[in-house]
Amino acid sequence: MRQNPSFAMTDVAELRRIIAANPWATLVGRDENGMTASHYAVLLDPERDDLTIVAHVGRPDDLVLGLGTQELMVVFQGPHGYISPGWYGDVAAVPTWNYVAVHLSGVPELLDGEENLRVLNHLVDHFEGRLADPRGMWTPPNDEAFVRRLEAGTVGFRLIPTRVTAKRKLSQNKPDEVIENVILELQGDGVYASPSLAAEMQRAHDARLAARADAR
């Protein structure tokens, strides 16, 4: 992803927020036959407060991704959507796509069986915990033999990124009144309405207005 300085995201807290809110990630690696993209749930490492992530892949995805032997890229896609030039008012304009994305790259550390089990357990608890009647990985009828077979069919990893590219392209190069109108359109009931993108744009716009006020 080519970076534009005016669209760059660098605040670790904001990057962690995007990663946490969008755990379904794309893993991009390669083997001797070329590049492969796989899709898995990826979480922030609960024992750290940086951008370290933990996840697992099913065998043999570890081989086609070259897991643990070379650089892996993990892509998190935040809110995104179509922006019509008609939302800009009576000015020369073309369509665009607003989006937020975070790319983390590095050589992952492969986890041993017990640590992989902890990651798998954390993953299940993370998502099941939102349910009224959560079902944990060890909840019957799952037994230890079943869970151990599950772990053996996966490869867990931890990635401490050595390269981070994050981009927030949310019409911030437009005048305030244009940004505010785009937000209104996204909040509406039109064919390209996107409440999640509107909320992300509003968050970024409010932060810019606050920073501008503080600079006065």
Side-chain angles (χ1 to χ4, degrees):
M1 178 171 62
R2 180 178 60 84
Q3 187 57 279
N4 306 74
S6 59
F7 294 156
M9 291 181 69
T10 57
D11 183 81
V12 171
E14 281 293 279
L15 297 179
R16 284 175 59 87
R17 181 182 65 85
I18 293 298
I19 292 169
N22 301 277
W24 188 243
T26 301
L27 282 56
V28 183
R30 65 183 306 136
D31 65 4
E32 66 274 9
N33 296 314
M35 298 183 69
T36 296
S38 298
H39 308 276
Y40 286 92
V42 178
L43 300 180
L44 290 162
D45 188 331
E47 298 181 358
R48 300 175 64 110
D49 59 4
D50 56 11
L51 298 177
T52 300
I53 52 176
V54 290
H56 73 281
V57 301
R59 301 179 189 273
D61 277 7
D62 58 317
L63 300 179
V64 298
L65 291 169
L67 206 63
T69 64
Q70 57 185 309
E71 188 176 63
L72 179 75
M73 177 184 289
V74 183
V75 178
F76 298 89
Q77 178 68 69
H80 62 93
Y82 179 80
I83 307 299
S84 168
W87 300 350
Y88 294 160
D90 190 20
V91 297
V94 294
T96 192
W97 205 277
N98 278 1
Y99 65 92
V100 179
V102 179
H103 294 189
L104 306 181
S105 300
V107 179
E109 166 200 355
L110 301 188
L111 307 180
D112 63 28
E114 291 306 309
E115 193 163 15
N116 186 29
L117 266 180
R118 288 196 293 273
V119 168
L120 290 169
N121 197 59
H122 171 57
L123 183 73
V124 173
D125 287 349
H126 177 82
F127 292 105
E128 282 292 311
R130 302 181 183 186
L131 299 177
D133 186 21
R135 179 169 165 174
M137 190 169 69
W138 296 90
T139 301
N142 296 1
D143 58 18
E144 182 165 356
F146 173 84
V147 173
R148 294 288 177 179
R149 286 196 302 273
L150 176 70
E151 186 280 321
T154 67
V155 177
F157 69 89
R158 175 181 292 106
L159 177 66
I160 301 173
T162 53
R163 288 194 301 131
V164 178
T165 306
K167 194 169 182 178
R168 174 188 274 146
K169 179 181 174 294
L170 299 174
S171 300
Q172 59 264 57
N173 57 338
K174 301 295 182 183
D176 288 349
E177 60 271 20
V178 170
I179 295 172
E180 289 159 7
N181 191 62
V182 170
I183 292 171
L184 285 174
E185 292 287 352
L186 292 169
Q187 290 172 333
D189 57 3
V191 65
Y192 290 116
S194 175
S196 61
L197 179 57
E200 194 68 28
M201 286 190 64
Q202 188 69 63
R203 180 186 181 90
H205 186 50
D206 289 345
R208 283 193 302 274
L209 293 178
R212 195 183 302 164
D214 289 344
R216 288 174 184 165

